[in-house]
Amino acid sequence: MSNAKQVITHLKSLANSEIANHSQRFFKTGKGEYGEGDIFLGIRVPIIRAEVKRQSNISIDETINILASEFHEARLFALIMLVEKFKKATEVEQSEIYKHYMNNLSQINNWDLIDSSAPYIIGAYLADKDKSPIYQMADSENLWQRRIAIMSTFTMIRQNDFKDALAIAEILVNDNEDLIQKAVGWMLREIGKRSLKTEEQFLQKHYKSMPRIILRYAIEKMVASKRKAYLNGTA
C-alpha cells in the first residue's frame, strides 16, 4: 500500500518548473497576495486526477498526511482522493472524512482546492443535516472558510434546494474579496439555471448595491436585454 511519503516523492518526480512558475503567478503567491507563500510543483490537474485513480488504495489516514504537505499539488491530490473515497464510503466513513476535512481547513487554502472538494464533501455530508457549520464559516474572517461556505451550497443547489445558498449569499453579498464575490455570483447563476424566478427575487433586493463582480457573474447566462437592464439599474 502507498504511504504519504511515497506519494509525495512520486509527485515531486512529476514536477515541471515552467508550469510551477506560471502557477505561482496565477494563484497569487507573492507577498501580500491571497496565496502568499504557497509552493507549486508544476503538475497539471488531469495528471493529478490520473494519479488519484492509480493510487486509490491509499488509506484515509495516509491521505490526510498528504494533505499536510507544503506542496499545493499534493494537497490537491489529497482532496480529490478524499472526494473519491467519500463517494464510495459508508455513513461512518463519510463522517470520518468530513471531520478530517473540518480539522484541516488551514491546508485548504486556495480557490481550486476548495472548489474541487467543498461541494463534494462538506456540501454532500451536510445536505440532510444541520447546516450551522457553513453558516459559522460564512461569518469567518478567513477568506477560505467563507469560500468553503458558499461553495458547499453547490450540492444543495444541484438538488434544487436553494434555501441555504441564498442565506449564505445574503451573508456574503457585500464581501470585499473578489474571490468571494465571484463565488457568490456563480452560485446565484447556478440557482438561476434551475429557477430564474428565485435568482431574480434575490437580485431585485440587492443588485443595485451589490459588488459589480457578483452581479456580472450572476446575470452571465441571462438574455442580453435582461443583462443590460440589470447593469443599467433598470431591471
Side-chain angles (χ1 to χ4, degrees), residues 27-38 110:
F27 287 100
K28 309 291 186 185
T29 62
K31 187 170 178 57
E33 295 182 311
Y34 62 72
E36 181 177 353
D38 205 353
N110 216 314

Side-chain angles (χ1 to χ4, degrees), residues 101-220:
Y101 194 101
M102 293 296 285
N103 288 336
N104 288 276
L105 292 177
S106 63
Q107 293 299 102
I108 307 164
N109 57 354
N110 216 314
W111 60 265
D112 63 320
L113 303 178
I114 292 166
D115 298 358
S116 299
S117 62
Y120 314 107
I121 295 177
I122 302 300
Y125 183 75
L126 295 179
D128 59 353
K129 298 178 181 66
D130 173 29
K131 309 295 192 304
S132 60
I134 59 173
Y135 284 86
Q136 291 166 12
M137 285 191 281
D139 280 325
S140 173
E141 293 182 5
N142 183 281
L143 161 67
W144 305 123
Q145 289 193 29
R146 299 200 305 279
R147 178 114 181 173
I148 289 170
I150 187 64
M151 289 306 302
S152 293
T153 67
F154 202 174
T155 299
M156 299 96 169
I157 292 170
R158 284 177 170 139
Q159 297 169 351
N160 291 314
D161 179 359
F162 310 131
K163 179 170 68 75
D164 295 293
L166 292 168
I168 298 294
E170 190 87 34
I171 293 169
L172 298 175
V173 72
N174 292 309
D175 200 286
N176 292 325
E177 293 285 351
D178 72 333
L179 285 173
I180 303 302
Q181 295 169 10
K182 290 174 182 177
V184 171
W186 178 9
M187 292 304 102
L188 290 173
R189 185 173 74 230
E190 291 296 330
I191 290 171
K193 287 179 184 178
R194 296 157 176 85
S195 172
L196 186 57
K197 179 182 177 182
T198 301
E199 180 190 10
E200 291 208 76
Q201 285 173 343
F202 184 93
L203 290 178
Q204 283 297 320
K205 182 178 178 182
H206 295 289
Y207 86 95
K208 290 184 179 180
S209 59
M210 65 168 53
R212 207 66 165 174
I213 293 176
I214 297 181
L215 180 61
R216 287 188 180 279
Y217 269 64
I219 66 176
E220 185 179 357

